[in-house]
Amino acid sequence: MAQQRKIKVLETIRQGKIGGGESHVLDLVASLDKTQFEVVVLSFTDGPMVTALQAMNIPVQVISSSKAFDLSVWMAVKKFIRSHQIDIVHAHGTRANTNILWAARSLGIPVVYTIHGWSFHEGLHPLAKRARVAAEKFITRMVQHNICVSDSNRNTGQKAFGAFRATVIPNGVNLEKFNAEGVYPDVKAAYDIPADHLVVCYIARMTLQKDPVTMLRAFAQVLAQVPKITLLMVGEGELKQAAEDTAKELGITGHVIFDKFRQDVPAVLNAADIYCLPSLWEGFPIGVLEAMAMGKAVIASDVDGTREAITHEENGLLIPASHPGALASAIVRLTKDPTLRKRLQFSAATAIRSRYNVTAVTKKIEAVYHQLFKS
């Protein structure tokens, strides 16, 4: 009997910068069964993710585009898909989907769409939100299979569109990479953080969604009660300058360290005592899962998929979004109660090992690919 050929899958995402969706793609392509699948990646901007894929010897291409429904790249995308003889396209996020959908459909290739958080969210102008709802409704109906990363995301889609079908496959963590028992470089010493300081860590794109300014306003309140503490903020984004300016205005620059995104996230997390993510909305935050896997006490906003990852007072603390006072109180509480902090750390690591291993997540996605390839 002839051996069945490998299924050629195109994973596509809007940008090469590292964020939750990009981390998911990196873990997915690393863990897919290479005896069954041949993977190619298409990004619409360059960045660290592209560099990481090249280091993994995963074929990756950049077709530059900064907008959704960008007709100027559609023919190039179609040519790329045809030249690589793709069997299945897996689009991660709205912009990637809108820029590959026409090409894939014109070639008769099935599309899987993973929603890493909807493009319509709080804070949008009503007209912009209505337009994005219409766009998401259209593209979710044009693909062959939708994947939501949380029950909350699927429920939001059902409320917005009426008829909406999706499989829920939560994000997972690479437990070999994010290993609380691993040995890591001394990041705390490298940043010259005093040995007796507790470290609060914020690792995220500095955007409206991740609300870095609330993080800083909260930390200023913490310093009034806990002087031996440092805030480490790692990431880039359009609000980074605003965050740095806020730190100066609050007079806390001596206790805040800003750095660009780092590839060695496990080492950075290893240096932390408390991890914070004060997001305004989330699909299913990989950053929170990674911090939990590293055995960190996590404080995060009580929004969307985050509340599915964290059980309040059990494996982390949930606080209202856009509430510096609540975030400050939670940080102070963990600094003054090491017993609670250690309990949350242990429960967090246990929860990730039992529920969110990237290997199990990949198997579920592989099943979707097999289903579409056979149909």
Side-chain angles (χ1 to χ4, degrees), residues 74-342:
W74 285 12
M75 288 304 298
V77 172
K78 183 176 181 178
K79 181 180 179 181
F80 178 81
I81 292 173
R82 183 191 283 129
S83 68
H84 285 82
Q85 299 180 309
I86 299 299
D87 297 307
I88 295 170
V89 171
H90 189 168
H92 297 267
T94 310
R95 195 173 301 175
N97 194 348
T98 59
N99 285 335
I100 61 88
L101 188 56
W102 171 82
R105 285 180 62 85
S106 68
L107 294 170
I109 297 170
V111 177
V112 181
Y113 175 31
T114 290
I115 299 107
H116 294 279
W118 295 106
S119 62
F120 54 92
H121 50 73
E122 298 304 318
L124 286 173
H125 186 280
L127 290 178
K129 186 172 183 179
R130 194 178 307 164
R132 292 193 184 189
V133 168
E136 292 280 16
K137 182 177 181 179
F138 173 75
I139 61 178
T140 55
R141 292 185 178 183
M142 290 296 104
V143 304
Q144 281 63 49
H145 199 107
N146 294 297
I147 296 174
C148 286
V149 295
S150 66
D151 288 319
S152 174
N153 264 24
R154 182 167 64 180
N155 292 342
T156 297
Q158 289 170 340
K159 289 177 183 177
F161 314 143
F164 171 66
R165 297 183 63 185
T167 303
V168 176
I169 304 178
N171 293 323
V173 178
N174 182 338
L175 297 180
E176 293 183 5
K177 180 179 179 182
F178 291 88
N179 176 11
E181 304 302 321
V183 177
Y184 303 97
D186 191 344
V187 169
K188 188 172 179 178
Y191 281 120
D192 291 325
I193 298 173
D196 61 347
H197 275 214
L198 290 173
V199 177
V200 177
C201 196
Y202 168 107
I203 307 175
R205 289 199 299 268
M206 295 193 193
T207 62
L208 173 67
Q209 178 191 1
K210 307 298 183 179
D211 202 3
V213 173
T214 285
M215 179 74 254
L216 287 156
R217 295 195 184 284
F219 188 70
Q221 296 180 37
V222 172
L223 273 174
Q225 301 179 63
V226 186
K228 292 184 178 182
I229 192 166
T230 296
L231 172 60
L232 176 57
M233 299 189 74
V234 177
E236 298 290 339
E238 61 267 23
L239 289 186
K240 185 163 187 177
Q241 187 60 55
E244 292 177 344
D245 291 345
T246 299
K248 291 176 184 175
E249 291 168 9
L250 294 170
I252 60 174
T253 53
H255 286 260
V256 181
I257 296 170
F258 289 96
D259 201 356
K260 61 188 178 185
F261 177 79
R262 296 177 54 139
Q263 295 282 4
D264 57 342
V265 175
V268 177
L269 286 170
N270 187 60
D273 299 287
I274 300 167
Y275 173 89
C276 295
L277 188 66
S279 302
L280 303 183
W281 69 89
E282 282 290 347
F284 196 73
I286 288 180
V288 163
L289 301 183
E290 291 171 348
M292 292 172 72
M294 289 294 295
K296 301 301 155 182
V298 174
I299 304 169
S301 301
D302 187 7
V303 296
D304 307 311
T306 303
R307 66 174 65 101
E308 294 178 35
I310 295 176
T311 302
H312 184 55
E313 300 278 355
E314 182 180 310
N315 56 24
L317 298 179
L318 293 170
I319 49 98
S322 302
H323 199 311
L327 178 54
S329 294
I331 295 172
V332 170
R333 182 183 174 197
L334 290 183
T335 64
K336 294 183 178 297
D337 190 344
T339 300
L340 171 63
R341 194 167 72 240
K342 289 177 182 178

